[in-house]
C-alpha cells in the first residue's frame, strides 16, 4: 500500500507562561547557533510534558521524536490521556501548526474537524455557513450546491437550516460541521474527539460514514477519541501517545490491551491497585482490596470466547461493623452504560466486626451476551442495604471482551442495540472469611 502520511522524528516544543516573552538576546543566540550549524540551545532544556508535575524549565516537549506511517485507505486511531499531545499532532498534520524539529509528508487533500464550529460565523444561518465552511475547506460553489441536500440530510438539522447558528446547541454545531467535512471528499479526513458532543445516534452515523469513505472510496481516516469502543470497531491500526512520546503503535486490538495496562499503573504508596481509585463511592465501612477476572485455569484475563465461563475474584476488608455482606457484579453496555446483566450474592449474613478480610469467586457459567467490549461494575453492601452503598467501583479493570468464536459473527453486534437487561446464572464457588485481622485503618 502507498504511504499518504509519513512522520519522521517529529517534535514540538512549547514555552510555558506569557506569550511573547522572548528577548532579542534569545533570538540572537538561536540565530547564531543555526548559522554555525549547532543545535538550538533552547531545545536542550525542554522537559517531558507531564501535565500533573511542575517542572524546572519553561520549555516542554508537547511531542518528542514521533515516527509512524499511515497508508492509503487506512483507518488510523490515536489515543492517549488528556495532555498526551493528540491535538498538537493533529494540528501539525492539518498544517495548522508547524513542528519544531522533524519532517512530515502528507500526500493528498486534507479535511480536518478539530474543534466545534471551526470556520462557522455565529450570525449566519446554517445554510450560509455550509457555503462559507465548504469554501474554506476548498469546495467550489457548484460542488456545494450539488451536495447541499445530502449535507443537510446527514446533519439532521433541516428544520433549523435557515436559523443563525449562534442559536444552535453544541451538538447541532457538530452535526453540521461534520456533515460539511464528510462531503468534502478529501483524500485524508482528520476527526478529533469533537464527536463526543453528539448523541449516540449521531456518533453511530459518523462512525458509519468514516467506515464507508475508507472501505468504499479508499480514503484515509485519522480518528482521535477517548471512546475506546469506537476506536476498536472503526480503526485498523492505533497509536498511543503518552506524555508527548509514542508509547505503542500497531494492530488496534493489541494496542488497546497495552493502553489498559498503561492506565493500571499503581501509584507509589498505594497498598493495592484498588487503593488508587479516587472515583470509588461509598461510606468506607467496607472496601475492595483486589478485583480480577479469571479463566478456568486460574489465569488472569479479560478476553473470553462467546459462551466461555468467566470467573471474577474479589477480596475485601471491613473497617466498621457490618450487618452481613453482599456482592454485586454487573456487566454494562459500552456506549449507554446501562446494566445488561448482573450477579448478586450473599457473602455472609453474620455480623462482622471491623478488621475482617474476605475473598470470593463468582462464576458466570454462561454469559450469553453478544460479542463486544463491556465495562464492569463492582459493589459491596450490607444485607439490609439501607439506602447507600458501602463500596462501589467502576472501570478499575479493563473491560470484559467477548469474542465471537465459532458461534456468533462480529457483524451481528450492534453497539446501539444491547441485549437488554437480564439475569445471568451465576454461582459463588469460593467464600472465605478471616476473622483474625486486628489492625484497622481509619477511613
Amino acid at each position: 500500500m502507498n504511504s499518504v502520511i509519513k512522520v519522521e522524528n517529529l517534535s514540538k516544543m512549547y514555552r510555558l507562561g506569557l506569550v511573547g516573552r522572548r528577548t532579542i538576546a534569545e533570538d540572537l543566540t538561536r540565530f547564531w547557533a543555526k548559522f554555525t550549524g549547532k543545535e538550538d540551545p533552547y531545545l536542550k532544556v525542554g522537559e517531558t510534558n507531564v501535565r500533573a508535575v511542575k517542572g524546572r524549565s519553561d520549555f516542554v516537549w508537547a511531542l518528542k521524536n514521533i515516527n509512524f506511517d499511515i497508508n492509503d485507505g487506512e483507518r488510523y486511531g490515536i489515543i492517549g490521556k488528556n495532555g498526551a499531545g493528540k491535538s498538537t499532532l493533529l494540528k501539525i498534520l492539518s498544517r495548522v501548526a508547524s513542528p519544531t524539529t522533524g519532517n512530515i509528508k502528507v500526500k493528498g487533500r486534507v479535511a480536518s474537524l478539530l474543534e466545534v464550529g471551526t470556520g462557522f460565523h455565529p450570525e449566519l444561518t446554517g445554510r450560509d455557513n455550509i457555503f462559507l465552511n465548504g469554501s474554506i475547506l476548498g469546495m467550489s460553489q457548484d460542488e456545494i450546491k450539488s451536495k447541499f441536500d445530502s449535507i443537510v440530510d446527514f446533519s439532521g438539522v433541516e428544520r433549523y437550516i435557515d436559523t443563525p447558528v449562534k442559536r444552535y446547541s453544541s451538538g447541532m454545531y457538530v452535526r453540521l460541521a461534520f456533515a460539511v467535512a464528510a462531503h468534502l471528499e478529501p483524500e485524508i479526513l482528520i476527526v478529533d474527539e469533537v464527536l463526543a458532543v453528539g448523541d449516540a445516534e449521531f456518533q453511530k452515523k459518523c462512525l458509519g460514514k468514516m467506515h464507508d469513505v475508507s472501505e468504499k472510496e479508499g480514503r484515509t481516516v485519522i480518528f482521535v477519541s477517548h471512546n475506546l469502543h469506537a476506536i476498536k470497531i472503526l480503526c485498523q491500526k492505533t497509536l498511543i501517545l503518552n506524555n508527548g512520546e509514542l508509547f505503542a503503535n500497531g494492530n488496534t486490538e493489541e494496542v488497546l490491551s497495552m493502553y489498559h495496562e498503561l492506565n493500571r499503573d499503581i501509584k507509589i504508596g498505594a497498598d493495592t491497585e484498588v487503593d488508587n481509585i479516587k472515583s470509588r463511592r461509598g461510606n468506607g465501612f467496607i472496601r475492595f482490596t483486589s478485583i480480577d477476572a479469571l479463566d478456568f485455569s486460574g489465569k488472569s484475563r479479560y478476553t473470553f470466547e462467546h459462551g466461555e465461563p468467566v470467573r471474577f475474584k474479589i477480596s475485601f476488608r471491613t473497617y466498621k461493623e457490618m450487618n452481613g455482606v453482599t456482592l454485586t457484579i454487573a456487566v454494562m453496555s459500552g456506549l449507554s452504560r446501562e446494566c445488561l446483566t448482573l450477579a448478586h450474592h450473599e457473602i455472609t449474613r453474620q455480623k462482622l466486626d471491623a478488621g475482617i478480610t474476605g475473598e470470593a469467586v463468582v462464576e458466570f457459567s454462561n454469559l450469553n451476551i453478544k460479542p463486544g467490549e463491556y465495562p464492569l461494575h463492582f459493589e459491596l453492601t450490607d444485607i439490609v442495604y439501607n439506602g447507600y452503598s458501602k463500596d462501589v467501583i467502576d472501570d478499575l479493570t479493563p473491560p470484559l471482551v467477548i469474542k465471537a468464536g465459532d458461534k456468533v459473527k462480529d457483524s451481528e453486534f450492534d453497539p446501539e442495540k444491547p441485549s437488554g437487561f437480564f439475569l445471568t446464572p451465576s454461582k459463588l464457588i469460593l467464600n472465605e472469611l478471616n476473622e483474625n485481622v486486628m489492625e484497622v485503618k481509619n477511613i
Side-chain angles (χ1 to χ4, degrees), residues 15-24 26-27 57-59:
R15 183 173 185 174
L16 304 179
L18 299 175
V19 177
R21 275 173 35 183
R22 282 171 50 175
T23 63
I24 295 177
E26 180 180 325
D27 288 337
S57 171
D58 288 339
F59 296 89

Side-chain angles (χ1 to χ4, degrees), residues 114-243:
L114 303 183
E115 296 181 10
V116 178
T118 301
F120 277 25
H121 193 292
E123 299 295 336
L124 298 180
T125 66
R127 182 186 302 274
D128 295 334
N129 272 297
I130 289 176
F131 283 91
L132 173 63
N133 196 236
S135 299
I136 292 173
L137 292 175
M139 298 169 70
S140 67
Q141 291 294 302
D142 290 339
E143 192 177 0
I144 298 171
K145 288 178 182 178
S146 66
K147 298 176 181 178
F148 181 82
D149 291 340
S150 178
I151 292 173
V152 175
D153 180 65
F154 185 89
S155 68
V157 297
E158 182 176 3
R159 186 175 186 180
Y160 306 96
I161 199 64
D162 291 311
T163 300
V165 296
K166 67 181 181 180
R167 298 193 176 97
Y168 283 18
S169 68
S170 57
M172 292 167 64
Y173 246 101
V174 171
R175 282 175 170 270
L176 197 58
F178 183 87
V180 175
H183 286 77
L184 176 61
E185 297 183 0
E187 282 77 20
I188 303 169
L189 176 62
I190 300 178
V191 182
D192 203 348
E193 51 201 353
V194 293
L195 294 186
V197 181
D199 53 34
E201 177 266 334
F202 181 66
Q203 288 183 31
K204 181 181 178 182
K205 183 187 288 189
C206 291
L207 292 176
K209 180 66 175 179
M210 288 188 285
H211 186 276
D212 288 345
V213 298
S214 173
E215 286 290 319
K216 299 178 181 179
E217 303 174 21
R219 305 182 190 279
T220 303
V221 176
I222 302 175
F223 181 47
V224 171
S225 178
H226 288 295
N227 186 335
L228 300 187
H229 180 70
I231 290 285
K232 182 177 180 180
I233 65 177
L234 175 68
C235 301
Q236 299 156 317
K237 291 185 178 180
T238 301
L239 68 82
I240 301 174
L241 290 177
N242 185 46
N243 296 331

Side-chain angles (χ1 to χ4, degrees), residues 407-418:
K407 299 180 181 180
V408 181
K409 297 179 181 178
D410 276 322
S411 59
E412 296 178 9
F413 175 58
D414 184 349
E416 290 302 321
K417 296 181 180 179

Side-chain angles (χ1 to χ4, degrees), residues 281 291-294 301-304 310-314 328-334 337-339 341-342 364 367 369 373-379 392-402:
R281 307 182 300 280
I291 299 174
D292 206 356
L294 311 172
R301 63 183 172 101
Y302 286 84
T303 301
F304 294 83
V310 182
R311 293 178 173 179
F312 294 100
K313 181 179 180 181
I314 67 98
T328 301
I329 302 174
V331 180
M332 317 295 286
S333 165
R337 307 292 297 192
E338 295 174 318
C339 178
T341 186
L342 59 80
F364 289 80
L367 193 58
I369 55 178
E373 193 171 289
Y374 300 93
L376 298 169
H377 168 98
F378 299 88
E379 186 170 339
V392 180
I393 290 181
D394 298 303
D395 300 322
L396 165 70
T397 67
L400 181 68
V401 177
I402 303 298

Side-chain angles (χ1 to χ4, degrees), residues 286 314 316 318 322-327 345-350 352 379-384 433:
I286 188 171
I314 67 98
F316 62 87
T318 60
M322 292 280 295
N323 292 317
V325 177
T326 62
L327 168 66
H345 291 280
E346 291 183 358
I347 302 299
T348 180
R349 281 190 162 271
Q350 70 186 66
L352 298 180
E379 186 170 339
L380 286 170
T381 63
D382 59 16
I383 292 293
V384 179
L433 293 175

Side-chain angles (χ1 to χ4, degrees), residues 79-144:
I79 59 176
K81 301 176 183 178
N82 291 327
K86 304 185 297 299
S87 295
T88 299
L89 177 59
L90 292 195
K91 288 176 181 178
I92 295 175
L93 292 176
S94 303
R95 300 188 178 99
V96 175
S98 59
T100 303
T101 62
N103 297 309
I104 175 172
K105 299 177 182 178
V106 179
K107 181 181 179 182
R109 184 164 64 163
V110 178
S112 304
L113 187 58
L114 303 183
E115 296 181 10
V116 178
T118 301
F120 277 25
H121 193 292
E123 299 295 336
L124 298 180
T125 66
R127 182 186 302 274
D128 295 334
N129 272 297
I130 289 176
F131 283 91
L132 173 63
N133 196 236
S135 299
I136 292 173
L137 292 175
M139 298 169 70
S140 67
Q141 291 294 302
D142 290 339
E143 192 177 0
I144 298 171

